[in-house]
Amino acid sequence: MLFDAAGTLFDLVPPIHDVIASTAARHGHPCAPARVERALDHVGGTLGWPDDESDSAGRTRAWTVFVRRIIDEVDLPAPDAALGEISEEAAATILEPANYQVFPDVAPLVQRLRAADIRMGIVSNFDDLLFDILDHTRLGTSFATILTSYRTGFSKPDPRIFHLAARAIGTDPAATHYVGDSVYSDMGGAHAAGLHGILIDRDDKHSTYSGERIVSLMDLRLDLDR
């Protein structure tokens, strides 16, 4: 069984839009988190999320630019210097591994999979920051195979990264399950690669999704106890 990483196994706490809103408020420029969330969805969906970077300096630059685009979308009434400081501070918070927490349903599921001797792996659009987060959350030891877009050169929904992961855990794509929270990159890529895609929809945002959908990892209907 293969899993996405952020949004599936762990997440930033508080979420990105709250980080940006609270940072702006600390600098004396409050804005509604809901407005920031809408801007985040729009910027990420149209201009794209930050590219993979080879080092922490590159990640900081990329995420500072990304946050600034979100703030500009919100049209926060603040001097340019203040907007720059907000962007840099929010980016630093987002990139701090200690600010990520594992979802509570992950540990019991991992125990079930281990008991059933089911091989597990991670397939994620991430650079090497992922490994720092996995170290901090102690998730890394649960997954023998961890493939990222940065290290493989393939980004989801490209089927090739899914094929590489299935091969790494020694399973045929048709016999491999993939759990992720994105309809486009996770489910689109998994299905294109011939895997069985399962959408984890913790916040019930995709109620009209026609494929298999769960709201908790403990809802997985697999023959794990044989």
Side-chain angles (χ1 to χ4, degrees), residues 41-193:
D41 290 342
H42 182 255
V43 172
T46 56
L47 299 177
W49 290 69
D51 291 334
D52 295 336
E53 297 292 341
S54 61
D55 55 32
S56 60
R59 280 191 286 276
T60 297
R61 287 192 298 271
W63 276 92
T64 299
V65 169
F66 181 69
V67 172
R68 179 59 185 267
R69 287 171 177 166
I70 295 166
I71 292 174
D72 288 344
E73 179 84 8
V74 174
D75 196 21
L76 193 65
D80 190 70
L83 296 178
E85 292 175 359
I86 293 168
S87 300
E88 291 175 2
E89 186 176 320
T93 300
I94 294 165
L95 293 172
E96 172 52 58
N99 293 330
Y100 289 81
Q101 294 181 14
V102 178
F103 290 111
D105 53 3
V106 174
L109 176 67
V110 167
Q111 291 175 358
R112 279 182 73 198
L113 295 174
R114 281 178 171 169
D117 198 27
I118 292 178
R119 285 160 287 183
M120 295 175 282
I122 292 175
V123 181
S124 178
N125 286 349
F126 234 117
D127 53 32
D128 283 354
L129 175 64
L130 174 61
F131 296 96
D132 294 333
I133 295 172
L134 293 177
D135 285 344
H136 168 72
T137 58
R138 299 182 180 179
L139 270 178
T141 57
S142 298
F143 299 89
T145 295
I146 302 170
L147 295 187
T148 64
S149 52
Y150 176 69
R151 293 199 176 186
T152 64
F154 304 126
S155 296
K156 299 179 299 183
D158 191 321
R160 288 175 289 185
I161 193 170
F162 294 93
H163 289 156
L164 287 174
R167 190 178 309 133
I169 64 172
T171 61
D172 185 84
T176 305
H177 292 75
Y178 182 79
V179 182
D181 67 315
S182 168
V183 172
Y184 172 69
S185 63
D186 292 327
M187 296 303 97
H191 293 149

Side-chain angles (χ1 to χ4, degrees), residues 198-201 204-209 211-215:
I198 303 170
L199 181 70
I200 176 75
D201 186 17
D204 200 28
K205 291 182 178 180
H206 305 288
S207 59
T208 60
Y209 176 68
E212 184 170 353
R213 184 177 70 98
I214 57 177
V215 297

Side-chain angles (χ1 to χ4, degrees), residues 12-42:
L12 179 70
V13 179
I16 291 176
H17 62 277
D18 281 336
V19 167
I20 297 173
S22 62
T23 303
R26 283 197 301 274
H27 283 260
H29 304 285
C31 58
R35 287 186 61 199
V36 180
E37 186 174 17
R38 288 193 295 271
L40 172 64
D41 290 342
H42 182 255

